[in-house]
Amino acid sequence: MNLVVQTLADGLVLGGIYALAAVGFSLIFGVLHVINLSHGILVLLGAYLALILSTSLRIDPLLTMPAVMAVLFVVGYAYQRLLIQRAVDRSPLGSMLLTFGVALMLQNTMIWVFSPDMKSITPGYALASFKLGAISFDAVRVSCLLASLVMLCCLAALLKFSALGRVIRATAQQTLAARLCGVNVRHVYALTFAVSAAFAGASGIVIGIILPFSPADEGTWTLNAFVVVVLGGVGSPAGALIGGLLLGMVSTLTAQYIGPSFPNVTMFLLLVLLLLVRPQGLLGNAFAPSR
Amino acid sequence: MTLHSKKATRRRVMSALGAAALAAPAIRSAHAQAKTIVFGGSVPLTGAAAETGLNVNNGYITAVSYFNDVLGGVEIAGEKYKLELKLFDDASDPARATTLIQRQIDEGTNFFLGSFGSNIVLPTAAITERAKKPMVQTGGGSDAIFTKGFKYVFGMYPRATRQFASTAALFKTLTPTPQTYSVIWTNDAFSKTAGQGVKLSCDAAGFKKLDEFELPAKPTDVSSVLGSVRANTPDLLVCVMHDQDSLLIARQMVASNTNVKCLFQGLGPQLASFREALGKYSEYLMCSTYWDESVPYKDKFFGDSRKFVEYYKKKFTRPIAYHTAGAAACIETYILAMQAAKSTNPEAVRDALSKADYETFYSRIKFTPDGDGDAIIMGSMIGQVQKTKLEIVFPEAASSAKPLYPQPMWDKKA
């Protein structure tokens, strides 16, 4: 019994991290209809920035989150306005090819700047643990799960209650209507991308604390985000959370009860099944009803 | 004066041109004497294997630079040769690597150096084998490389299933003698066969296996495996996988307070970055290492290991790793074989490599008939992190410290 509970707890913690890493990807997919294949690069950029800032300023890596998010926000805005929008204007598939190319280039730039060596962000509490009854928890993973939940709630609130969120939702639901109402759609697209990049950066900090990372890992985080979004549904933090938690639980349950080498098999089997049965994901497209 | 001067200048120019014309054959001849031996291949400078790929690449560069710049080239059968590297980034991608190697074969390259990773070395070795061009490599240990009947590929390590023999021998010397072991590997060409090697060697040494776990090639969470380890705790936990995955396991073991009497990680603790990331928790961890600055071998060209390291440090700031030394030894082995063969003919060099028995700064070099390193002569040493440094604890002849066993619990290290 303890083993089942422990496995479920581990799955929830892992899933929360997957969710945070995927939410930016989901938002861009939902609003801009762009599959951002450079998403993993933005995640890693957040991890590297946190490493540099926390080491040079000697502060807790989680405290670097506002600065990292601000930098990624600016980078994301510029990236969308200067590159992605131009590709979207030319061809629907152009943005996919562009983000793939940018991912390749930036991965190599990261190797050049940061070296290909594995890095890790190791605050004093990085290896702490605690027990609740017979269940032991990795304290950092749990705190990262909490940080993920807080961030997802913040994003949900931003989308639901703020003026920016309303404009983003309006643009995603009816681009033409939003434009007729005077919304600068290109600016909204860039802001959406900027918010998504900022959240990707934040997830990078969390991931950097939990896992060793190197520039070669960018593909893993793009792929995970893609799976999470397909499972949970496009465009909403809730969809990302559901998809992430599902993915995390499936991974740990499979590893425990089928075999540690099988999580990827069950993950993609689930993906195929869901695409056949419910291709819009468990929560569907958050912006679809008005389309 | 000016005119005379001009005439004199013109005369001088004419004389110089004439002299140059007369000397041209001699210059051409001198130029012809400075022949070049080209070593082709690919290395992963980007992608998943780039960290170690860079170490391998630096080793190749160090050796070639030393032979050319310090020794002025190498003499083979009375002729002086310069060495040249033609290495390309394969991005840790076997498909890309095979394309690069095939192109170099088409362009006439005769001698090849290895990439890093059995998944790359194996397909590229198949191409060089078909073309009957030798490959000496320090990046692939999978059994598949050495059990396909290849005659032209040589490795600086024993094949993966033979690599663990020395570690099992060390385990037998520990007191109190460990009784049980569990093994974890990742699903890639090297780690899988290395895992089989662990089982073969540990079973032969009389240890009882409790569990074996195969992880995906790129794990992000090992909590369920560690749950099983806590439920059925072995004396020895052996992890054979690449550095980053070893670090993930060690970190999660600390965080989940999963304790064993000895954690052995094939790759990881030998890297300074790994030890830094784990801090005090890296103490007592054991790993394989194939070379250390303190090894006692004498070398015809470099002198010894310390001199090799001195020269390396003049060229690079990156910390030296055993893969760097192994890569430099690949080139030195080629040179020694060419000198023994008195030829730069690929087939003659291949024959000389198969009979190699040389002492280099890296190790004594002797290959099995299948091309992998002799398991006794070129087998691994065992390192253990002690006071933040990696000390050699086995074999006794090369050891710089005694092995510490059992390892304390993680919370005692805090």
Side-chain angles (χ1 to χ4, degrees):
Chain A
M1 185 61 193
N2 276 350
L3 192 59
V4 178
V5 178
Q6 179 76 62
T7 307
L8 288 174
D10 291 337
L12 282 175
V13 172
L14 185 65
I17 295 149
Y18 283 155
L20 182 61
V23 72
F25 184 90
S26 172
L27 197 59
I28 292 171
F29 197 2
V31 178
L32 280 73
H33 317 295
V34 166
I35 297 173
N36 178 20
L37 295 179
S38 55
H39 180 76
I41 287 287
L42 298 173
V43 172
L44 287 182
L45 207 53
Y48 279 110
L49 280 175
L51 178 65
I52 292 167
L53 288 174
S54 63
T55 311
S56 55
L57 301 176
R58 295 185 180 178
I59 55 172
D60 188 284
L62 287 175
L63 294 179
T64 66
M65 203 174 270
V68 170
M69 289 181 77
V71 172
L72 265 293
F73 185 92
V74 174
V75 169
Y77 190 94
Y79 180 26
Q80 205 284 335
R81 280 311 281 265
L82 298 176
L83 290 174
I84 292 179
Q85 189 59 52
R86 291 170 192 228
V88 170
D89 289 343
R90 289 195 168 90
S91 126
L93 275 178
S95 60
M96 204 195 279
L97 290 173
L98 176 91
T99 54
F100 181 63
V102 167
L104 285 177
M105 282 194 287
L106 288 183
Q107 191 199 46
N108 286 300
T109 309
M110 279 183 173
I111 287 173
W112 179 53
V113 175
F114 302 116
S115 89
D117 300 355
M118 67 175 169
K119 307 277 184 199
S120 60
I121 304 171
T122 319
Y125 53 83
L127 303 164
S129 63
F130 65 91
K131 276 195 154 192
L132 281 179
I135 311 300
S136 70
F137 289 92
D138 178 336
V140 177
R141 285 187 176 233
V142 172
S143 58
C144 288
L145 168 67
L146 294 176
S148 301
L149 292 175
V150 169
M151 298 297 294
L152 290 170
C153 289
C154 289
L155 182 61
L158 178 91
L159 289 172
K160 183 92 177 162
F161 301 116
S162 73
L164 172 63
R166 273 194 297 278
V167 173
I168 288 175
R169 281 187 287 129
T171 307
Q173 286 168 358
Q174 284 289 346
T175 309
L176 181 62
R179 195 173 275 141
L180 288 170
C181 291
V183 172
N184 182 348
V185 169
R186 286 177 179 241
H187 179 61
V188 172
Y189 280 164
L191 281 176
T192 309
F193 202 100
V195 169
S196 303
F199 274 83
S203 70
I205 302 171
V206 170
I207 288 164
I209 295 173
I210 295 169
L211 296 168
F213 57 94
S214 70
D217 295 336
E218 60 93 12
T220 307
W221 292 107
T222 305
L223 185 65
N224 279 349
F226 188 80
V227 176
V228 166
V229 168
V230 173
L231 289 181
V234 171
S236 70
L241 185 62
I242 295 289
L245 293 181
L246 188 63
L247 184 62
M249 305 252 269
V250 165
S251 292
T252 51
L253 285 168
T254 308
Q256 188 66 56
Y257 293 106
I258 299 177
S261 59
F262 289 97
N264 287 350
V265 176
T266 46
M267 184 171 98
F268 286 106
L269 197 63
L270 189 65
L271 186 72
V272 171
L273 281 176
L274 210 76
L275 283 171
L276 289 171
V277 178
R278 194 174 163 79
Q280 69 273 37
L282 290 174
L283 294 194
N285 188 328
F287 307 117
S290 306
R291 280 192 181 143
Chain B
M1 178 65 191
T2 310
L3 184 66
H4 177 74
S5 172
K6 275 182 182 170
K7 277 181 182 171
T9 305
R10 194 177 297 131
R11 193 177 301 131
R12 266 191 226 121
V13 170
M14 294 303 289
S15 307
L17 285 173
L22 285 171
I27 291 168
R28 272 198 299 275
S29 165
H31 183 72
Q33 281 173 3
K35 288 182 177 175
T36 303
I37 298 169
V38 176
F39 293 105
S42 72
V43 273
L45 297 178
T46 53
E51 180 168 7
T52 311
L54 197 56
N55 292 335
V56 171
N57 192 50
N58 286 355
Y60 292 148
I61 293 172
T62 305
V64 166
S65 164
Y66 187 85
F67 279 113
N68 285 344
D69 301 343
V70 178
L71 302 181
V74 292
E75 197 171 304
I76 295 161
E79 284 198 272
K80 200 80 169 174
Y81 289 85
K82 289 277 187 182
L83 308 184
E84 185 185 337
L85 287 175
K86 273 194 182 171
L87 299 172
F88 299 91
D89 178 17
D90 57 37
S92 313
D93 177 6
R96 185 177 160 85
T98 50
T99 308
L100 290 167
I101 298 299
Q102 186 59 57
R103 196 176 76 198
Q104 291 182 68
I105 284 176
D106 296 342
E107 288 169 358
T109 302
N110 280 329
F111 303 105
F112 285 86
L113 298 162
S115 182
F116 177 75
S118 294
N119 59 331
I120 303 180
V121 172
L122 179 58
T124 51
I127 295 174
T128 54
E129 179 74 19
R130 200 164 52 234
K132 297 193 171 177
K133 311 289 185 190
M135 173 188 278
V136 181
Q137 53 88 17
T138 190
S142 170
D143 282 36
I145 299 168
F146 304 107
T147 51
K148 293 194 179 304
F150 292 171
K151 296 290 174 202
Y152 286 78
V153 61
F154 298 89
M156 302 304 274
Y157 317 121
R159 70 191 69 175
T161 51
R162 294 178 183 174
Q163 285 181 6
F164 207 73
S166 54
T167 312
L170 162 72
F171 290 161
K172 289 296 281 184
T173 68
L174 299 173
T175 38
T177 308
Q179 303 296 320
T180 56
Y181 77 97
S182 291
V183 55
I184 310 175
W185 65 83
T186 46
N187 186 8
D188 61 77
F190 165 74
S191 305
K192 274 181 96 158
T193 44
Q196 300 308 315
V198 171
K199 287 193 287 177
L200 282 173
S201 300
C202 285
D203 291 349
F207 300 115
K208 184 184 172 202
K209 187 186 79 180
L210 295 188
D211 279 309
E212 59 181 69
F213 305 97
E214 182 175 295
L215 297 173
K218 190 83 192 133
T220 52
D221 180 66
V222 292
S223 49
S224 54
V225 167
L226 296 184
S228 303
V229 170
R230 284 196 299 277
N232 193 19
T233 307
D235 292 336
L236 308 162
L237 181 62
V238 181
C239 307
V240 277
M241 54 199 61
H242 292 285
D243 318 310
Q244 201 165 332
D245 307 324
S246 294
L247 182 56
L248 173 71
I249 288 186
R251 284 179 70 144
Q252 284 200 254
M253 282 185 76
V254 179
S256 59
N257 207 22
T258 306
N259 287 287
V260 289
K261 286 180 183 166
C262 174
L263 173 59
F264 180 93
Q265 301 197 288
L267 289 169
Q270 78 277 16
L271 291 177
S273 58
F274 181 101
R275 301 196 293 271
E276 271 170 33
L278 272 185
K280 58 197 174 231
Y281 294 108
S282 68
E283 290 289 320
Y284 301 89
L285 297 189
M286 288 189 185
C287 63
S288 300
T289 184
Y290 286 85
W291 172 83
D292 181 79
E293 192 179 335
S294 62
V295 294
Y297 306 110
K298 295 293 170 204
D299 185 295
K300 179 178 170 183
F301 302 109
F302 288 101
D304 57 32
S305 269
R306 289 184 199 284
K307 286 178 185 157
F308 170 77
V309 175
E310 267 173 39
Y311 184 72
Y312 172 84
K313 285 181 176 168
K314 284 181 194 165
K315 296 195 73 67
F316 297 103
T317 53
R318 187 177 173 78
I320 196 162
Y322 75 76
H323 287 103
T324 311
C330 287
I331 292 181
E332 185 175 351
T333 303
Y334 258 128
I335 301 305
L336 291 166
M338 287 169 181
Q339 289 180 334
K342 296 186 171 68
S343 167
T344 55
N345 175 281
E347 297 200 17
V349 174
R350 182 263 152 214
D351 290 343
L353 284 168
S354 71
K355 294 174 197 146
D357 191 357
Y358 315 128
E359 185 164 324
T360 70
F361 76 93
Y362 172 77
S363 157
R364 225 177 100 204
I365 306 289
K366 189 171 170 63
F367 302 111
T368 70
D370 296 319
D372 56 331
D374 185 286
I376 305 297
I377 295 168
M378 297 176 77
S380 76
M381 300 183 291
I382 312 304
Q384 185 175 39
V385 184
Q386 294 184 8
K387 292 179 182 160
T388 72
K389 273 182 66 188
L390 188 73
E391 301 285 359
I392 303 298
V393 295
F394 192 82
E396 205 172 334
S399 67
S400 55
K402 296 273 181 208
L404 299 175
Y405 177 86
Q407 299 168 6
M409 313 271 267
W410 296 113
D411 53 8
K412 295 283 184 297
K413 292 185 187 178

